[in-house]
Amino acid sequence: MNVAAVQLPAENAPEENRDRAVERVRDAAERGADLAVLPEMWPVGYFAFDAYDDAAEPVPGSTTDRLAALADELSIHLHGGSLVERDGDDLYNTSVLFDPNGELLATYRKIHLFGYDSEEATRLTPGDEICAVETDLGTLGLTTCYDLRFPTLYRELVDAGVEILLVTSAWPRERLDHWHLFTRTRAVENQSLLVAANLTGSIDGVDLGGESVVVDPWGVERANAGTDARTVLAEVALDEVRETRESFPALADRQL
């Protein structure tokens, strides 16, 4: 299968961002993508915290309806990145996954909200459930940005049967070394494929890192988007996960 990480610029321009995301996902599908992954909070650019309240919408809502129609049109699995979800009086950082018929397969409310040099933890409500979902591509696990720093979350996903880890992110450029460390480590220690889509560019004084990646179960980066707004594809196979786990049974050897 072909997987795509769609790297978008960080801009607080929701309508333009929606048009851009649709265009880029359509291009990924034309290039053969079976699964496309969008970045974190791409409609508002993540660090535009003052825009969260106005940008918030229910799920399903206008943005997810458009993504659902796109997945159906292109007949691909689409991880729609994340957006500001409004549910009653609470706001969440919520990511969404659609199947090739446009059905909303899963939502994931980010568990670990970022508080360092960020207002996310004060403006949003954390989620409290992991998200593992069976699909025709394999069992997928949804995670978001700061989650990468919490290995127990990923181990819970693997224990739930996950074979492909998906990460939607707005990772800053100043900690880009950590981005590569954690994406590779989470793939290796869980013997899983990992697809991570990051924002790029700058917003509200913060430079985003870009370098969206596809990582195999041995920690090899099979694709890297660099720092420009672009989409990268990589051909991977679910058998890579199963063969790695069988030939080097680190997961089976766990004692704790």
Side-chain angles (χ1 to χ4, degrees):
M1 66 179 139
N2 286 308
V3 297
V6 180
Q7 186 162 288
L8 297 173
E11 297 180 5
N12 180 16
E15 195 54 46
E16 292 87 343
N17 288 340
R18 280 188 278 269
D19 290 343
R20 183 186 295 113
V22 167
E23 178 184 346
R24 297 286 296 282
V25 171
R26 186 172 283 119
D27 174 69
E30 290 174 354
R31 293 165 59 189
D34 302 295
L35 165 68
V37 181
L38 291 169
E40 179 185 19
M41 293 292 201
W42 56 268
V44 294
Y46 182 82
F47 283 96
F49 300 113
D50 289 341
Y52 278 17
D53 194 65
D54 288 340
E57 60 184 275
V59 175
S62 59
T63 298
T64 55
D65 286 349
R66 191 168 182 184
L67 293 174
L70 183 64
D72 182 37
E73 172 197 339
L74 301 175
S75 297
I76 64 169
H77 285 82
L78 175 59
H79 183 312
S82 74
L83 68 157
V84 185
E85 178 196 6
R86 184 183 299 280
D87 185 359
D89 293 331
D90 294 322
L91 301 182
Y92 298 89
N93 183 338
T94 300
S95 55
V96 290
L97 178 70
F98 302 92
D99 74 7
N101 296 315
E103 179 183 351
L104 180 61
L105 289 180
T107 61
Y108 167 66
R109 290 171 169 172
K110 186 178 182 182
I111 293 174
H112 301 101
L113 299 181
F114 192 49
Y116 173 80
D117 229 10
S118 165
E119 298 178 28
E120 181 184 37
T122 59
R123 291 179 180 263
L124 305 185
T125 300
D128 57 10
E129 295 183 3
I130 68 168
C131 182
V133 55
E134 293 184 15
T135 75
D136 292 340
L137 302 179
T139 304
L140 310 182
L142 276 60
T143 67
T144 305
C145 200
Y146 192 43
D147 283 337
L148 279 169
R149 292 184 180 271
F150 300 89
T152 52
L153 169 61
Y154 290 82
R155 188 49 51 88
E156 285 188 52
L157 288 170
V158 168
D159 287 344
V162 166
E163 298 157 303
I164 305 174
L165 298 166
L166 305 182
V167 186
T168 181
S169 192
W171 201 277
R173 172 153 294 280
E174 67 176 332
R175 291 182 292 278
L176 198 57
D177 285 348
H178 292 182
W179 167 256
H180 291 290
L181 171 66
F182 290 132
T183 52
R184 295 182 64 198
T185 299
R186 297 293 89 88
V188 170
E189 68 188 3
N190 295 296
Q191 299 186 303
S192 302
L193 292 162
L194 182 147
V195 185
N198 198 24
L199 287 174
T200 190
S202 299
I203 187 167
D204 282 20
V206 180
D207 295 328
L208 281 301
E211 302 204 19
S212 302
V213 291
V214 178
V215 186
D216 73 18
W218 291 100
V220 176
E221 289 189 359
R222 302 277 278 273
N224 184 318
T227 58
D228 295 330
R230 60 189 292 257
T231 300
V232 291
L233 282 80
E235 185 173 353
V236 298
L238 201 59
D239 284 346
E240 295 181 59
V241 174
R242 295 166 181 170
E243 290 170 1
T244 300
R245 293 177 179 181
E246 290 175 4
S247 65
F248 194 85
L251 290 175
D253 289 341
R254 289 164 51 202
Q255 299 298 312
L256 297 173

